[in-house]
Amino acid sequence: MDEVSLIMIQLKNVSKFYYSKGIIASGITKVNLELGVGEFVVITGESGSGKSTLLNVISGLDTYEEGEMYVEGRETSHFSTAEFETYRKKYIGNIFQEFNLVNSYTVYQNIELILWINGVPDTEVKRRVPEIIDKVGLTEYSRTKVSKLSGGQKQRVSIARALAKDTSIIVADEPTGNLDSESAEEVIKLLSEIAKDKLVVVVTHNFDQFEKYATRVVRMNDGRVIEDKEVVHVPDAGELAESESGRITVGNKLRLGVRNTFNIIPKFLLLLIVFLFVTISVTSIYTNFKESENASSEFGFNQFFTNYSDDRMVVKHRDNHKFTDEEIKKIEAFENVRVVAKDDILIDKSAYIEDDLLSFYGYIYPADALVGKLNAGEMPKGDNDAVIRTGREDGILMGEPEEVIGTTSDLMSEDGESSLAKVNITGIQFYEGEEFSEESKIYVSEGALKNLRADAYAQASTIKIKSGKKTVKVGQDYEATYRLIPTKKAPKGKVYVPAEFNENYKNEKAKDQKIKITADNMYFDSSKELKIKDVTASKTYNKTIGIGEFEEHSQDIFINPADFRSIFDKGVYQISVFATNNHEVAEVTNQLRDMDMKVIPLKDAISPILDAGTDILSLVQVPLLVILVVVIFFIAYFVTRLILKSRDSYFSIARMLGMSQKDIKRILDIEIILVVTIAFGLFFLFTRLVAFDVLQIEYVKYLIEYMEAKDYIILYLVLVVMAYMISGRAARKLFTTSAMQAYRGEA
Ligand code: ADP
Ligand code: MG
């Protein structure tokens, strides 16, 4: 090899132009230079003379348009961006005027960071960091945060960091620009020492400071080198090792994530508050959702509440046992209770009347719930009396109100299959508005209520009939093979059964045989033994039963209403308590819970659209929840962004030091997920304290009853996913500034 190849950097007629808005400005023009290891090169000149441009070309930050730059004899004019990246990583150590240190890290941590980024093994990191710190004379500040250091000390840290990479070229643009003369002197001395086994290139407009130490002076004017003087001849130090460069390890990313979480305490606390807010919001949405789901299963009979009075509470015993009269009296006596509806099961139920004079559909209420004046007729008195409350529109009354009053009608179950009760219409009350709405009601007397109540419980029960050897399931709806229909045509203690029941008995005759009906629902089991009066047959149907056509009823079992009631009307298991007004609901709820009852305040049920059925429940409620979660997500995201603003400089420094965008994102992920985990942990601890009554917060206790171990896991996963997405969005914003911009200080 000839001597030329030992020259580290050689520029031959290198020119660089800047193009901006159609104007070409020349950065440097036809520069010729040869720089070698051991030199301390000082580039000086007026402002705008091209010093920085020259330095950026040497350090591979800027490309050039003319001429050729050789690095250890290799041409660089054809280098791609990636090749220049590699060149910088292998050869160049940067020292900045602005230091570009992580202020919240200690001196030690700043040096450690660059070694980690370059994938230096841990044992070597531990050995090298103190060595390097010692070299720049900062050993006693090793554990001091950079933010506490003086300018000169900071610049020494940044020199130490450049040394840590162990590259053969160190470049510095105005390294003393921010320092007082004393600190500047220290730093320059240090650089000149480093130059003993490296090539150090420094740009300054203040040559006097450097004069004593420079081995070569390059003076510039208007983009040209006007003087290139070797002050001290440096013997060639020979070839130089390229710096090793690996990638940051997973373990070190984790350590940086954890370090970043806690290194600025106020920032940590703010993030923690944001994620506590997210945790609590998501939990309360989740529990409210579960609660309303439970409302339809646990309070079984009201699958969907239709009466959404905001003063209504649905109440049962925790262990589902019956209410005693004393208990109901006690509740009625509560100061803030307006009324107790024993027939809660009926409040959400509707029935209809369809005959010559009337076409009515409405909710069933006990007569004593009637308020206000009647428009016609009188209040119900007798056992079967009823008052209808309906809209004034046409289509309900076929005649004048006076004609309807005094007539007897069949109050039909919703499915139209059975007459729940015969009611005698004694009065009519009109409301303004549509013919049928939530206001449409029928107020019935206690006698009629009994049948209605039994019917409601029957609908909520699993009913089986054991006939001879065979047991069949009986339903109240259209899908059921067999239905159980109460009618007075069946004598007490006796039933009519379908003809096919004959086959269940030895002599193929069901008549006069025994039959057992059992019912089972969430509140009670009950059973009754009855005798078969006869099987139904088309010839005799009209005379014996006479409800509709035989063809539609050939599979039905007909039972006397009194028997039906004795199976299904077992007492009061679920009541509705109405508070004097909605502000008292919380108070009454607490009183009831103290009596060991389960309470659902209807005003807290999440969506008033529940009455439309399960399909609507999932169609409307789920998107509603999704929207809420998305809103919370964005609130959390924007606040997180604001808080992470302080991270911007950290990330541009990390990129400058050669960390990849992906690795930076991972470190941010770790930080945010760690904060979420801490927030969730605190929240979980809080729920345990409430659950074990260390903290007494009734509402929270009530809500967390819906949380099982599984739910906590789901919740945590949801939060982690949210955190991950927040981190992803935040990172994307952070990277809108390119590393290059950051490098040049344009960020
Ligand atoms: P110095 O560092 O000596 O002050 P520079 O190298 O920054 O000088 O600038 C040399 C010349 O190049 C100046 O005329 C300057 O206006 C021009 N220049 C530098 N950077 C840019 C740029 N990004 N776009 C356009 N012109 C530039
Ligand atoms: Mg400059």
Side-chain angles (χ1 to χ4, degrees), residues 673-731:
I673 288 170
L674 185 58
V675 176
V676 163
T677 305
I678 293 170
F680 182 80
L682 285 175
F683 173 75
F684 185 72
L685 190 74
F686 171 71
T687 64
R688 291 307 88 196
L689 290 179
V690 173
F692 294 116
D693 287 326
V694 182
L695 292 172
Q696 300 214 332
I697 307 167
E698 280 304 318
Y699 184 67
V700 176
K701 188 168 180 176
Y702 166 62
L703 279 184
I704 60 176
E705 268 176 28
Y706 292 102
M707 299 284 291
E708 296 160 24
K710 171 183 109 244
D711 299 315
Y712 283 104
I713 293 168
I714 292 173
L715 191 66
Y716 178 64
L717 291 178
V718 167
L719 290 169
V720 167
V721 169
M722 279 177 82
Y724 185 75
M725 285 162 72
I726 286 173
S727 159
R729 288 188 71 92

Side-chain angles (χ1 to χ4, degrees), residues 18 20 25-27 46-53:
Y18 290 106
S20 67
S26 117
E46 304 275 294
S47 173
S49 57
K51 306 182 297 291
S52 295
T53 308

Side-chain angles (χ1 to χ4, degrees), residues 22-181:
I23 297 163
I24 301 174
S26 117
I28 50 174
T29 314
K30 299 212 184 293
V31 170
N32 288 289
L33 266 186
E34 286 178 12
L35 309 175
V37 172
E39 287 192 278
F40 185 19
V41 183
V42 178
I43 301 173
T44 186
E46 304 275 294
S47 173
S49 57
K51 306 182 297 291
S52 295
T53 308
L54 178 57
L55 196 73
N56 289 348
V57 166
I58 291 172
S59 59
L61 268 178
D62 266 337
T63 51
Y64 52 93
E65 279 76 35
E66 273 178 23
E68 184 64 75
M69 176 169 84
Y70 302 89
V71 176
E72 292 192 307
R74 262 189 306 147
E75 294 180 359
T76 59
S77 54
H78 55 81
F79 268 20
S80 65
T81 316
E83 280 171 310
F84 270 117
E85 290 254 352
T86 318
Y87 163 68
R88 286 213 313 277
K89 219 170 166 173
K90 279 184 178 170
Y91 288 89
I92 307 292
N94 276 93
I95 296 164
F96 303 89
Q97 184 175 355
E98 312 288 339
F99 320 131
N100 285 332
L101 298 168
V102 181
N103 279 318
S104 56
Y105 280 14
T106 63
V107 171
Y108 188 97
Q109 289 169 336
N110 268 281
I111 311 302
E112 188 179 52
L113 178 66
I114 179 77
L115 292 178
W116 279 355
I117 288 173
N118 284 287
V120 177
D122 261 1
T123 46
E124 222 187 306
V125 171
K126 291 214 172 73
R127 184 179 59 76
R128 260 162 70 179
V129 177
E131 251 178 48
I132 296 162
I133 293 175
D134 189 50
K135 209 166 183 173
V136 299
L138 286 176
T139 304
E140 60 178 311
Y141 297 101
S142 187
R143 305 277 157 198
T144 309
K145 278 198 176 182
V146 165
S147 55
K148 299 222 170 83
L149 299 180
S150 71
Q153 288 167 328
K154 281 183 190 169
Q155 195 57 295
R156 281 193 281 165
V157 178
S158 93
I159 292 169
R161 191 178 59 187
L163 290 178
K165 244 176 99 186
D166 203 18
T167 54
S168 38
I169 305 171
I170 303 272
V171 299
D173 195 344
E174 305 277 5
T176 56
N178 284 338
L179 304 180
D180 56 71
S181 56

Side-chain angles (χ1 to χ4, degrees), residues 619-651:
L619 276 175
V620 174
Q621 223 176 356
V622 170
L624 200 78
L625 291 178
V626 171
I627 290 168
L628 270 174
V629 171
V630 169
V631 167
I632 290 166
F633 173 85
F634 276 101
I635 295 174
Y637 163 66
F638 284 115
V639 179
T640 306
R641 265 290 302 151
L642 278 180
I643 297 170
L644 286 181
K645 263 261 170 257
S646 65
R647 277 268 166 278
D648 284 11
S649 72
Y650 177 82
F651 288 120

Side-chain angles (χ1 to χ4, degrees), residues 253-439:
K253 275 188 258 183
L254 212 71
R255 281 149 90 174
L256 285 178
V258 174
R259 178 175 295 172
N260 292 351
T261 308
F262 302 109
N263 72 340
I264 305 172
I265 294 299
K267 184 220 65 192
F268 166 68
L269 291 178
L270 281 174
L271 275 183
L272 189 64
I273 289 167
V274 171
F275 284 101
L276 272 173
F277 162 77
V278 172
T279 307
I280 290 165
S281 317
V282 173
T283 312
S284 72
I285 291 170
Y286 187 75
T287 48
N288 272 307
F289 178 62
K290 287 206 81 170
E291 183 198 20
S292 65
E293 259 193 347
N294 275 21
S296 52
S297 54
E298 262 192 61
F299 286 74
F301 302 154
N302 294 299
Q303 266 205 337
F304 319 107
F305 299 109
T306 50
N307 180 326
Y308 268 84
S309 305
D310 59 4
D311 53 0
R312 175 180 173 197
M313 289 151 276
V314 180
V315 184
K316 66 166 191 169
H317 280 106
R318 242 171 233 287
D319 58 3
N320 289 337
H321 71 263
K322 220 194 285 202
F323 282 90
T324 61
D325 288 344
E326 289 71 43
E327 279 172 330
I328 289 175
K329 284 205 184 90
K330 189 176 163 191
I331 296 168
E332 279 171 336
F334 282 170
E335 200 188 330
N336 296 315
V337 168
R338 175 165 55 87
V339 66
V340 175
K342 284 184 280 190
D343 290 296
D344 166 80
I345 188 165
L346 294 176
I347 290 183
D348 300 287
K349 267 209 171 310
S350 52
Y352 76 92
I353 296 168
E354 186 77 70
D355 56 28
D356 294 344
L357 291 165
L358 206 53
S359 175
F360 168 84
Y361 186 61
Y363 296 110
I364 300 163
Y365 275 73
D368 51 14
L370 182 58
V371 283
K373 279 197 177 140
L374 298 182
N375 295 81
E378 51 193 41
M379 301 292 259
K381 284 191 208 91
D383 236 15
N384 290 321
D385 288 353
V387 163
I388 59 171
R389 173 177 162 78
T390 182
R392 216 184 260 279
E393 303 287 315
D394 287 344
I396 293 161
L397 305 183
M398 303 304 165
E400 291 302 307
E402 289 70 29
E403 285 178 71
V404 175
I405 285 165
T407 59
T408 298
S409 299
D410 274 314
L411 186 63
M412 303 298 288
S413 62
E414 232 172 318
D415 61 12
E417 275 316 300
S418 51
S419 168
L420 299 172
K422 280 221 184 298
V423 289
N424 176 34
I425 314 289
T426 62
I428 296 174
Q429 189 178 48
F430 285 119
Y431 61 83
E432 295 304 325
E434 294 166 46
E435 55 190 71
F436 173 67
S437 76
E438 266 159 45
E439 284 302 305

